Amino acid sequence: MINKNSFTYLVLFLALSLLSGCANFLDVKVTRYHVLPIPKLAPPPSPSGVNPPTSTIGLNTNVPPTVFNGQHFAMVKEVEKVEDLEFKQFVRVIANELSYLGLKESEPSDFLIDFRLSSPASVGERMQPYTTPYTRVNCLRDVYGNPNCVPMTSYQTNYYPVKYNFFTNELSLFIIDAKTNQRIWQGRAEAISYDEPNMKGLLPFLTRAALSNFPGPSGVTETVRFNLEKK
């Protein structure tokens, strides 16, 4: 017999399962800090494999922004010295996104770009349902008073905690004034992946989210939603 509380938990579990299976979007949490004025901007065009984000900040067009007008940028020396080929690929992803803001990669530079990547692991817990069968006998008497008994099987729904691993893939991006060597803008974007870190797959989304509606409101945490293509 499924009692009222068990039934409620079961409905919630099934609803969440359906949502997770049908979800066709990626949410990225973004926080920016800067000393720049905030123009009214549209998002940059989508890079290959990334759709324009839709979010609470009204990103719904494909008109390139005009934040910068051909100023030059370069990666900080510490980034350029890294020999790891995968890291160099990450550098290219970020550099390409910066070009949508109207910046050009060359020296001498007006701005220096630095960034940090991390994917710390965490352990979450959810309640997993399971059913336990039990049998009872129902008896009814016929018109002559003789009992007719039939065994009936019912199921009791219970729950037990299940731990799971998830990873917070984080990009911290910094724009530095090359003349003063002072940070003028910094942003942090993070998205969750399960079972294993996924910086390679998520970095285009993290970078786009961090730079969306650039420079963005300072000191405000927002969620940028990307609509993903169905496979």
Side-chain angles (χ1 to χ4, degrees):
M1 179 70 65
I2 300 178
N3 59 40
K4 183 177 180 181
N5 289 337
S6 297
F7 180 76
T8 301
Y9 284 123
L10 180 60
V11 170
L12 288 174
F13 174 79
L14 292 175
L16 290 173
S17 299
L18 289 173
L19 287 174
S20 62
C22 298
N24 201 35
F25 56 84
L26 171 69
D27 284 341
V28 180
K29 187 167 69 173
V30 177
T31 307
R32 281 78 65 97
Y33 295 92
H34 60 83
V35 292
L36 301 173
I38 303 178
K40 295 182 178 180
L41 302 172
S46 298
S48 177
V50 180
N51 283 337
T54 57
S55 74
T56 56
I57 51 179
L59 302 179
N60 53 12
T61 65
N62 288 324
V63 180
T66 55
V67 183
F68 299 102
N69 187 24
Q71 290 96 329
H72 298 168
F73 77 92
M75 295 293 170
V76 296
K77 298 301 181 184
E78 290 76 8
V79 170
E80 295 292 352
K81 289 179 180 179
V82 176
E83 294 296 331
D84 183 78
L85 294 180
E86 183 179 32
F87 186 83
K88 287 183 178 294
Q89 183 179 355
F90 293 162
V91 172
R92 290 299 93 215
V93 170
I94 294 172
N96 288 340
E97 287 296 315
L98 288 167
S99 68
Y100 289 117
L101 298 179
L103 291 171
K104 296 181 179 180
E105 188 175 11
S106 64
E107 294 186 357
S109 58
D110 301 290
F111 304 103
L112 298 174
I113 307 301
D114 195 6
F115 67 93
R116 303 284 186 273
L117 303 175
S118 63
S119 298
S122 301
V123 177
E125 185 177 282
R126 65 173 181 269
M127 300 305 294
Q128 182 73 24
Y130 69 95
T131 56
T132 303
Y134 65 93
T135 302
R136 63 182 180 180
V137 178
N138 284 350
C139 295
L140 296 175
R141 294 186 180 274
D142 60 21
V143 294
Y144 303 104
N146 300 317
N148 291 320
C149 298
V150 178
M152 299 186 64
T153 301
S154 299
Y155 295 88
Q156 175 71 46
T157 300
N158 300 293
Y159 298 85
Y160 65 95
V162 175
K163 295 186 182 299
Y164 63 93
N165 295 324
F166 67 94
F167 297 82
T168 305
N169 302 273
E170 300 177 354
L171 164 68
S172 295
L173 185 61
F174 310 97
I175 299 179
I176 302 166
D177 188 319
K179 294 181 180 179
T180 63
N181 203 35
Q182 298 293 315
R183 289 181 186 176
I184 59 173
W185 183 94
Q186 66 184 61
R188 184 179 71 254
E190 57 185 59
I192 300 298
S193 63
Y194 298 93
D195 298 326
E196 62 182 6
N198 186 24
M199 184 58 69
K200 180 180 178 181
L202 291 176
L203 184 59
F205 297 97
L206 297 175
T207 311
R208 172 61 58 86
L211 297 175
S212 63
N213 232 9
F214 187 88
S218 185
V220 177
T221 298
E222 300 179 306
T223 298
V224 177
R225 172 165 293 183
F226 291 89
N227 292 318
L228 306 177
E229 294 180 359
K230 294 182 179 180
K231 296 184 179 180

